[in-house]
Amino acid sequence: MMETFETICYIDENGNVRNEEGAARINEKLAKEMYEKLLLVRTFDRKAISLQRQGRLGTYAPFEGQEGAQVGSASALKEGDWLFPTYRDHAASITFGHSIPRVFLYWNGRVEGCVAPEGKHIFPPAVPIATQLPHATGAALAEKWKGTDNASIVYFGDGATSEGDFHEGLNFASVFKAPVVFFNQNNQYAISVHISKQMNSETIAQKSVAYGIPGVRVDGSDVFAVYFETQKALERARNGEGPTLIEAVTWRFGAHTTADDPTKYRNQDESIQKREQIDPLLRVERYLKNQGYWDDEWAAEMQANASAVIEEAVEEMEAFPKPKVEDIFDHVFASPTWTIQQQKEEYLQQMRGEDA
Ligand SMILES: Cc1ncc(C[n+]2csc(CCOP(=O)(O)OP(=O)(O)O)c2C)c(N)n1
């Protein structure tokens, strides 16, 4: 018999609590914390697009619409866990403690942008689709063999499920009971490819059945559902029960990257219409208002704080020492080969106006 995967929701689009567990666990403090985190990453995302448009940042991959999935899941991690993001998962990395100036630097093509603060186990964003899944399984297994209770979380899109690395990562983790959470953000598009052309499976969560691991489908616009369901998966991982596949159903409001024009493959009115139902920030705002916890002054203060943090991060990123032209040669191998060395010297000679 086919197993079905209901989409778990704690708070609906109108901000009403939809289940008992939600009613018992969501309170003013948690809701305000989540609101603050969501607002910070949204402010980051919008600023990044604006900087790219001004030529102050390279190509950028926006995540607006997916903040609930990323903030909720990363909030469930503890110090010592491992986070494996893609190019779209900065909301998760920032929530887990990445440096915001460094994340901006990454989008200026700087290798320093891949370096997380000391002690933070955050990998550089994976650009080759799905390669990070086996890495996360490996890191999780290493923690298990070292006898710690650290776990991994790995982010990937719906398109990544068509890659061989998806199978290898999940199968290996299942067989060896690796403490890893496979966190899929089903935003329904792999650039221009709609999910209906990606797979015939009704859900991504159901793929867990083939690997003999738990699968969970969650409303990715509901930060609370994502947070609590990820917590449960991490608990299973830490208890030696192995991996979980979580599918967070979400939507990217904007383009795939700033180099993409989504109007070529989807009607952007759909994004505008969907905002009311699926904006994760709006949902928490509605919850706070329904409960009588909302306060305009508090919300304005939160926005002012978020804007100040982001502006300061931009200043820090722009004050970072500029790269040297020869850096491109130095980052190819740990010790340069003679050919690279020769190319570097010839290039520098040319820069100085000398004949090679
Ligand atoms: C191995 C590999 N193949 C193709 C690409 C080109 N590519 C970049 S993003 C992308 C779509 C990925 O879609 P999805 O996994 O759904 O993630 P999303 O971008 O929606 O977050 C593709 C095919 C790549 N980066 N790596």
Side-chain angles (χ1 to χ4, degrees), residues 174-234:
S174 164
V175 170
F176 289 92
K177 281 203 178 321
V180 50
V181 176
F182 293 99
F183 193 88
N184 172 259
Q185 286 170 92
N186 178 4
N187 68 10
Q188 298 158 61
Y189 281 91
I191 315 184
S192 56
V193 178
H194 186 253
I195 190 157
S196 57
K197 293 185 189 146
Q198 190 76 244
M199 65 189 71
N200 278 330
S201 321
E202 231 171 86
T203 68
I204 289 173
Q206 77 191 54
K207 293 174 190 282
S208 61
V209 175
Y211 297 101
I213 64 173
V216 179
R217 193 169 209 248
V218 68
D219 180 346
S221 305
D222 175 358
V223 70
F224 303 107
V226 175
Y227 174 56
F228 291 124
E229 293 305 317
T230 309
Q231 258 188 354
K232 289 182 203 168
L234 284 165

Side-chain angles (χ1 to χ4, degrees), residues 154-355:
V154 54
Y155 292 87
F156 57 101
D158 36 295
T161 63
S162 296
E163 291 282 357
D165 277 347
F166 170 79
H167 168 69
E168 288 155 27
L170 269 81
N171 190 58
F172 209 85
S174 164
V175 170
F176 289 92
K177 281 203 178 321
V180 50
V181 176
F182 293 99
F183 193 88
N184 172 259
Q185 286 170 92
N186 178 4
N187 68 10
Q188 298 158 61
Y189 281 91
I191 315 184
S192 56
V193 178
H194 186 253
I195 190 157
S196 57
K197 293 185 189 146
Q198 190 76 244
M199 65 189 71
N200 278 330
S201 321
E202 231 171 86
T203 68
I204 289 173
Q206 77 191 54
K207 293 174 190 282
S208 61
V209 175
Y211 297 101
I213 64 173
V216 179
R217 193 169 209 248
V218 68
D219 180 346
S221 305
D222 175 358
V223 70
F224 303 107
V226 175
Y227 174 56
F228 291 124
E229 293 305 317
T230 309
Q231 258 188 354
K232 289 182 203 168
L234 284 165
E235 229 165 86
R236 282 194 290 275
R238 297 191 211 289
N239 290 340
E241 293 168 52
T244 300
L245 171 61
I246 298 180
E247 173 187 6
V249 183
T250 181
W251 183 260
R252 77 167 143 77
F253 283 127
H256 171 72
T257 68
T258 48
D260 169 53
D261 175 5
T263 62
K264 297 280 184 236
Y265 55 84
R266 71 180 197 195
N267 179 354
Q268 276 302 87
D269 288 346
E270 211 182 337
S271 267
I272 296 163
Q273 284 156 12
K274 273 181 186 251
R275 187 173 283 277
E276 282 290 307
Q277 292 105 55
I278 63 171
D279 183 335
L281 192 62
L282 194 56
R283 198 172 289 202
V284 181
E285 180 179 328
R286 285 178 173 162
Y287 167 81
L288 288 168
K289 284 181 174 161
N290 290 348
Q291 301 292 322
Y293 300 147
W294 183 261
D295 170 353
D296 283 337
E297 239 171 72
W298 169 82
E301 195 186 320
M302 289 303 107
Q303 182 59 74
N305 287 350
S307 302
V309 169
I310 298 303
E311 289 305 325
E312 207 176 296
V314 173
E315 268 177 42
E316 202 178 312
M317 179 266 288
E318 294 192 324
F320 206 78
K322 296 281 173 262
K324 298 192 293 293
V325 280
E326 61 265 37
D327 287 353
I328 49 172
F329 299 101
D330 294 340
H331 292 147
V332 182
F333 296 109
S335 337
T337 58
W338 67 268
T339 47
I340 293 274
Q341 197 59 37
Q342 192 177 27
Q343 285 171 33
K344 178 176 169 178
E345 279 156 22
E346 282 175 10
Y347 186 69
L348 288 175
Q349 272 176 6
Q350 270 184 24
M351 296 291 290
R352 290 193 296 265
E354 298 165 13
D355 285 336

